[in-house]
Amino acid sequence: MRTIKSTEITEALKNLAIEKCYKIGDDILRGFDWALKNEKSETGREIIEQLKENAKIASQGIFPYCQDTGMAVLFVEVGQDLKIEGNLEEALQEGVRRAYVDGYLRKSVYKDPLRRVNTNDNTPAIIHYSIVEGDKLKIVFGAKGGGSENMSKLAMLKPSDGIEGVKKFVIDTVSTGGANACPPLVIGVGIGGNFEKCALLAKKAALRSFEVRNEDPFYAQLEEELKEKINNLGIGPNGLGGTVTVFGVNIEVFPCHLVALPVAVNINCHAARHGEIVL
Amino acid sequence: MAQYKLIAPLKEEDVIKLRIGDKVLLSGIIYTARDAAHKRIVELLDKGEKIPFDLQGSVIYYVGPTPARPGAVIGSAGPTTATRMDAYAPRLMKEGMKGMIAKGKRDDSVKEGMKQFKVVYFGATGGAGALISKCIKKSDVVCFEDLGPEAIRRLEVEDFPLIVVGDVYGGDLHIEGRKQWQKAG
Ligand code: SF4
């Protein structure tokens, strides 16, 4: 049986989190170049130029890409043939803690939702585990900003609402809240499952690169259609008007109950900081 | 769309010439405040107490920066969403505030107040915290240090790039900009 030490996990996660908060992904950088070609508003293009410059400055490692370095979200796949020396949960939380403290990232987590006292180390991270085949450990990290998270929504639609109902809910959600979420955006959509599964699908979708299409051509086409319709809303970069509001729409689906049609929209901003490591 | 260079604190003549869509490079002294700081300021004002800095002509920046690295003036310092300050903003306008810097939409009570008290809402680019940090030359905590990243700071800024998103005539670039680029269907 393969063994890894929890200290190794902590170190690897810490490095991943710091890197992602300073160095925005190549997908987003390519997105900026796409936006410069497709944005018709001059002000919109100026904003995209600023974001490119921002990315350049941030990559030098002094100033994080965005001051909201988010709440950490982890999707962790544990190989069933892997043995972990030490406490996995503690190792992951410690990785996040060290990243936010040693990496000069902002601590944005409150210990209690109503009594609102900062934990001062940005833990706990929200961790979703799954057990998979093999002897590897895969960690997907996301630093999810609060502004875009606040504009996210979930609806339990009626099956009779169908695909049109889904489209309407997604477009309405971005139409109402998109301007406040720092466009250009990446939209994560979860369709199916039940109440909590649907939200989880949307989060997974929001942390996927917008350059990756759903494997099912039916949903890949829906992703493209929604992208076009949302970009026609005119919200534009920073919400000040324009033709580029989203880089892409990512859909994840799951089987659901015959009476149900849950849909969740998790909005991610251009600071879509995500990355993964396999140990 | 005109371009201006302005120095904060602002005077009435500075703000009445601005229209939505105008670009402004702002230099001078501005103050940071977010939800918790706004709440305290308004509580002090309501009790008739003095607040520890001058609101006359002031520009308030809604920001909660990352911690500064050793040798840096400040950390990453981009704007936060304005909505959460909407409840407090009109009260500060009444006390002489002339400008707000943030991102996102404002509610009607804020827009009414801007007309009545001649106040401008500037948009800074959301998520451009690293770029904006470069315009901040000095940063000192003024008060409410216990609020951590939400403490009120006095910032000395140089050529901070802003767009007029709300003017003193009721103009709102979120609405007008979108109207201009919206496609039917
Ligand atoms: S919505 Fe995203 S880009 Fe905007 S401030 Fe929040 S984390 Fe930063």
Side-chain angles (χ1 to χ4, degrees):
Chain A
M1 209 179 213
R2 196 174 157 251
T3 306
I4 53 173
K5 290 200 183 95
S6 57
T7 49
E8 210 180 304
I9 299 169
T10 296
E11 189 63 18
L13 176 56
K14 172 192 148 179
N15 293 337
L16 175 71
I18 293 178
E19 186 198 320
K20 291 300 153 191
C21 287
Y22 284 86
K23 212 174 157 298
I24 199 68
D26 290 338
D27 56 342
I28 297 292
L29 294 177
R30 283 189 291 271
F32 289 149
D33 289 332
W34 170 82
L36 282 177
K37 282 194 213 105
N38 288 277
E39 179 51 67
K40 300 217 168 67
S41 145
E42 197 190 312
T43 298
R45 284 196 304 275
E46 276 174 33
I47 290 165
I48 303 290
E49 288 287 3
Q50 283 187 5
L51 295 178
K52 274 185 78 168
E53 182 63 22
N54 183 61
K56 209 157 114 195
I57 296 168
S59 69
Q60 292 159 5
I62 308 288
F63 305 103
Y65 180 86
C66 177
Q67 79 289 336
D68 183 356
T69 46
M71 190 164 187
V73 180
L74 306 177
F75 284 94
V76 179
E77 291 178 9
V78 188
Q80 58 188 12
D81 300 324
L82 176 69
K83 184 171 171 358
I84 291 159
E85 230 172 68
N87 183 324
L88 175 60
E89 170 80 20
E90 212 5 80
L92 294 167
Q93 297 292 1
E94 185 63 19
V96 168
R97 183 175 294 126
R98 287 206 201 149
Y100 280 78
V101 173
D102 300 352
Y104 292 86
L105 305 178
R106 204 179 77 187
K107 287 74 176 173
S108 312
V109 176
Y110 279 167
K111 209 178 290 181
D112 180 286
L114 291 178
R115 286 166 293 184
R116 309 192 80 77
V117 178
N118 204 307
T119 63
N120 288 326
D121 60 11
N122 221 53
T123 66
I126 294 175
I127 310 180
H128 306 289
Y129 295 96
S130 50
I131 310 286
V132 298
E133 270 181 31
D135 61 0
K136 298 271 194 292
L137 178 75
K138 179 174 155 185
I139 305 170
V140 175
F141 164 83
K144 187 64 183 68
S148 49
E149 192 76 0
N150 273 349
M151 298 298 122
S152 304
K153 270 186 189 160
L154 187 144
M156 303 304 282
L157 298 182
K158 295 191 291 294
S160 62
D161 292 328
I163 189 167
E164 290 309 318
V166 171
K167 286 185 210 166
K168 185 173 183 309
F169 180 68
V170 175
I171 293 167
D172 286 352
T173 301
V174 181
S175 180
T176 318
N180 283 0
C182 294
L185 311 168
V186 176
I187 310 295
V189 180
I191 309 174
N194 58 1
F195 188 77
E196 85 276 9
K197 179 71 182 180
C198 188
L200 209 52
L201 292 170
K203 175 69 72 206
K204 244 191 179 147
L207 295 183
R208 199 174 92 199
S209 168
F210 70 89
E211 291 176 326
V212 178
R213 293 279 59 77
N214 191 295
E215 278 173 19
D216 181 339
F218 173 80
Y219 286 108
Q221 202 200 324
L222 185 57
E223 289 174 338
E224 294 291 356
E225 183 186 337
L226 285 169
K227 175 182 171 179
E228 194 189 322
K229 291 210 159 117
I230 292 169
N231 281 333
N232 285 346
L233 292 172
I235 296 171
N238 216 19
L240 302 180
T243 50
V244 173
T245 302
V246 294
F247 287 132
V249 177
N250 295 341
I251 298 177
E252 295 281 335
V253 298
F254 197 81
C256 68
H257 194 283
L258 58 89
V259 301
L261 179 52
V263 190
V265 180
N266 191 209
I267 298 185
N268 209 350
C269 44
H270 61 78
R273 293 148 294 189
H274 60 90
E276 59 177 66
I277 36 168
V278 179
L279 296 172
Chain B
M1 286 182 299
Q3 305 223 14
Y4 297 99
K5 279 191 162 227
L6 295 178
I7 312 254
L10 299 176
K11 295 188 231 32
E12 184 159 323
E13 67 207 58
D14 294 325
V15 297
I16 55 172
K17 65 183 176 199
L18 300 175
R19 297 286 192 287
I20 54 167
D22 286 351
K23 311 276 157 63
V24 172
L25 290 174
L26 184 71
S27 301
I29 304 299
I30 64 177
Y31 294 92
T32 71
R34 288 164 50 109
D35 334 16
H38 271 81
K39 188 160 175 263
R40 284 206 198 166
I41 294 175
V42 169
E43 277 166 9
L44 286 177
L45 291 172
D46 284 347
K47 277 192 262 168
E49 285 173 34
K50 270 194 93 103
I51 64 159
F53 66 99
D54 191 3
L55 276 170
Q56 263 327 306
S58 64
V59 177
I60 308 275
Y61 182 23
Y62 303 167
V63 58
T66 58
R69 281 186 180 265
V73 169
I74 199 166
S76 192
T80 193
T81 313
T83 325
R84 297 190 318 275
M85 271 54 75
D86 282 353
Y88 309 111
R91 184 64 210 270
L92 270 61
M93 295 179 195
K94 219 166 128 189
E95 304 291 331
M97 174 180 72
K98 279 281 161 238
M100 301 165 281
I101 305 173
K103 69 171 175 99
K105 303 179 198 173
R106 307 308 303 255
D107 73 12
D108 287 341
S109 70
V110 175
K111 290 191 237 174
E112 269 313 307
M114 287 165 55
K115 276 203 274 188
Q116 190 185 342
F117 299 108
K118 307 243 182 310
V119 179
V120 164
Y121 174 39
F122 298 103
T125 299
L131 177 100
I132 293 167
S133 299
K134 291 275 185 186
C135 312
I136 300 172
K137 302 301 169 191
K138 218 169 158 243
S139 159
D140 301 297
V141 173
V142 176
C143 56
F144 310 154
E145 199 159 0
D146 57 303
L147 295 178
E150 300 213 24
I152 293 190
R153 288 163 181 277
R154 177 182 184 277
L155 303 183
E156 210 176 295
V157 295
E158 208 178 282
D159 290 341
F160 186 173
L162 303 168
I163 298 174
V164 177
V165 173
D167 59 29
V168 304
Y169 308 98
D172 180 343
L173 189 58
H174 282 291
I175 296 173
E176 297 308 321
R178 187 167 170 178
K179 247 192 232 157
Q180 188 185 345
W181 296 103
Q182 194 162 27
K183 287 187 206 147

